[in-house]
Amino acid sequence: MRFSHTLAASLAVSAVQASPLVKRVTTPQVNDGIILNYALTLEYLERKFYQDGLANYSQAEFVAAGFEDPFYKNLQEIYFDEQTHVSALSAALTEAKITPTVELKYRFPATDPMSFVTLSSVLEGVGVSAYLGAAKDIVEAEYLTVAGSILAVEARHTSYIRASLGQSPFPNPFDTPLGYNKVFSLAAAFIVGGESPVTLPFEAFPALSLQCTQYYYEADRSSVTFSGAFKQAQQKFKVAKDTPIYAVFFSGLSKLPVQVRVTGNSDYKIDRIPAGAVGQVYVVLSKSSTDFSDEQVIAGPAILEVYTKGMAPSTPRPKCH
């Protein structure tokens, strides 16, 4: 997929830059107020992303990039949806006498209509995964209904954008739930400033970078190299060459671990993406192949667009960045 390599590079800015050793990220304790502010944080990010995209690229430029009418009008509708989600979540927090978070400063690695739309696909997919991952922790039925309603709309956004990119609008029978710290690690890569009156109990994992490839990722066929990941694990977690480390792929409701090997003295590599991974897939490096908690994660997530074996497009090949 064309965005996967540039996204991996952009997410690298969220790497933990502290002393050589870092403390392990732990699973956060949450309540309904924290979850609503977590959702509001993501909605502000999405709203600003579409606001910038609509301001930076004209309808004619989207058409020239291959996104024919009424695509631009539909992007405006998506922006309206995100703006409405911000208003609804802010109002719910205020009504509950909980301070809502505010819009921060963001930087998005989109340089033209195509890169904007491909990043849109990623952000919408992460939004779906975030709401799905949080749903089990929402106590108040009214809040669960609101979150479920937003989730359904975000999923429609995802399907529309994916179809516009020539991808399957629904590649997996199940969407992928993602935990708070994993989503926060992805979102933090785009936040470059600002100050919120709310402190959320989430932490970013060390970043995970994918080595550039000029081929589409296919399950049960493609290899993946995690650039500099072994060297980073040595420095931050005292991992040795013979320490078992696993690449855990999150796809739908499946968690698919594959043991990595050290290559080139600084990278980790797997020879095949596991069968069953398809669509927008998340991968972390973990010290366990059975315990998928945050406490075991040493890097990630990275995002890959994975095709069923033999189903990847023949052309165009993704660019290498």
Side-chain angles (χ1 to χ4, degrees):
M1 186 174 187
R2 281 166 286 188
F3 64 77
S4 57
H5 317 299
T6 53
L7 179 68
S10 71
L11 292 180
V13 301
S14 68
V16 176
Q17 299 288 345
S19 59
L21 292 180
V22 299
K23 72 182 184 69
R24 194 68 54 83
V25 172
T26 58
T27 302
Q29 299 297 311
V30 299
N31 56 40
D32 283 357
I34 290 172
I35 294 171
L36 290 179
N37 260 315
Y38 165 73
L40 181 57
T41 299
L42 300 176
E43 295 295 344
Y44 269 126
L45 188 152
E46 287 187 307
R47 184 183 74 170
K48 181 60 174 173
F49 173 73
Y50 286 108
Q51 184 181 62
D52 286 357
L54 290 167
N56 292 338
Y57 312 114
S58 67
Q59 179 179 7
E61 287 174 307
F62 278 105
V63 171
F67 302 104
E68 297 182 358
D69 291 338
F71 184 81
Y72 188 82
K73 182 179 179 181
N74 287 335
L75 280 185
Q76 292 175 314
E77 183 64 33
I78 292 175
Y79 168 64
F80 174 78
D81 290 347
E82 307 300 357
Q83 187 170 350
T84 304
H85 295 164
V86 166
S87 298
L89 291 168
S90 296
L93 284 159
T94 300
E95 185 177 346
K97 301 188 184 325
I98 299 171
T99 300
T101 191
V102 297
E103 182 175 289
L104 301 175
K105 295 180 180 179
Y106 314 97
R107 181 181 297 121
F108 303 104
T111 57
D112 55 34
M114 177 59 74
S115 61
F116 173 83
V117 177
T118 52
L119 183 53
S120 168
S121 177
V122 173
L123 293 179
E124 293 291 352
V126 171
V128 170
S129 293
Y131 278 100
L132 194 56
K136 67 183 187 326
D137 296 324
I138 299 174
V139 175
E140 288 290 333
E142 183 178 355
Y143 294 154
L144 181 58
T145 299
V146 171
S149 182
I150 293 174
L151 167 60
V153 173
E154 299 289 356
R156 284 197 285 274
H157 293 171
T158 300
S159 293
Y160 176 73
I161 295 295
R162 288 182 62 87
S164 298
L165 289 166
Q167 300 162 352
S168 171
F170 27 74
N172 196 315
F174 299 96
D175 276 315
T176 306
L178 211 57
Y180 302 100
N181 288 326
K182 294 181 180 68
V183 172
F184 180 76
S185 298
L186 295 169
F190 304 106
I191 300 173
V192 295
E195 186 173 342
S196 172
V198 176
T199 300
L200 295 174
F202 309 132
E203 303 173 84
F205 298 106
L208 183 59
S209 297
L210 308 179
Q211 186 181 84
C212 173
T213 175
Q214 293 184 327
Y215 297 94
Y216 290 99
Y217 290 116
E218 294 184 59
D220 200 30
R221 172 176 287 174
S222 300
S223 63
V224 181
T225 298
F226 304 98
S227 299
F230 171 60
K231 183 177 180 180
Q232 177 177 264
Q234 278 184 309
Q235 294 173 342
K236 296 185 183 299
F237 298 104
K238 292 187 175 180
V239 168
K241 272 194 173 183
D242 59 353
T243 303
I245 298 295
Y246 303 88
V248 181
F249 292 81
F250 294 77
S251 180
L253 301 180
S254 299
K255 301 175 182 67
L256 307 168
V258 181
Q259 187 163 352
V260 302
R261 57 184 173 86
V262 177
T263 178
N265 294 320
S266 63
D267 302 339
Y268 280 129
K269 183 175 182 177
I270 63 166
D271 293 320
R272 290 176 184 267
I273 295 172
V278 64
Q280 182 162 310
V281 176
Y282 308 96
V283 58
V284 302
L285 294 182
S286 173
K287 298 188 77 172
S288 176
S289 62
T290 56
D291 178 358
F292 304 115
S293 66
D294 287 351
E295 286 75 6
Q296 300 301 321
V297 175
I298 63 171
I303 300 177
L304 307 84
E305 179 68 21
V306 181
Y307 293 86
T308 302
K309 186 176 181 179
M311 299 298 290
S314 56
T315 56
R317 298 294 188 186
K319 294 179 180 179
C320 188
H321 298 279

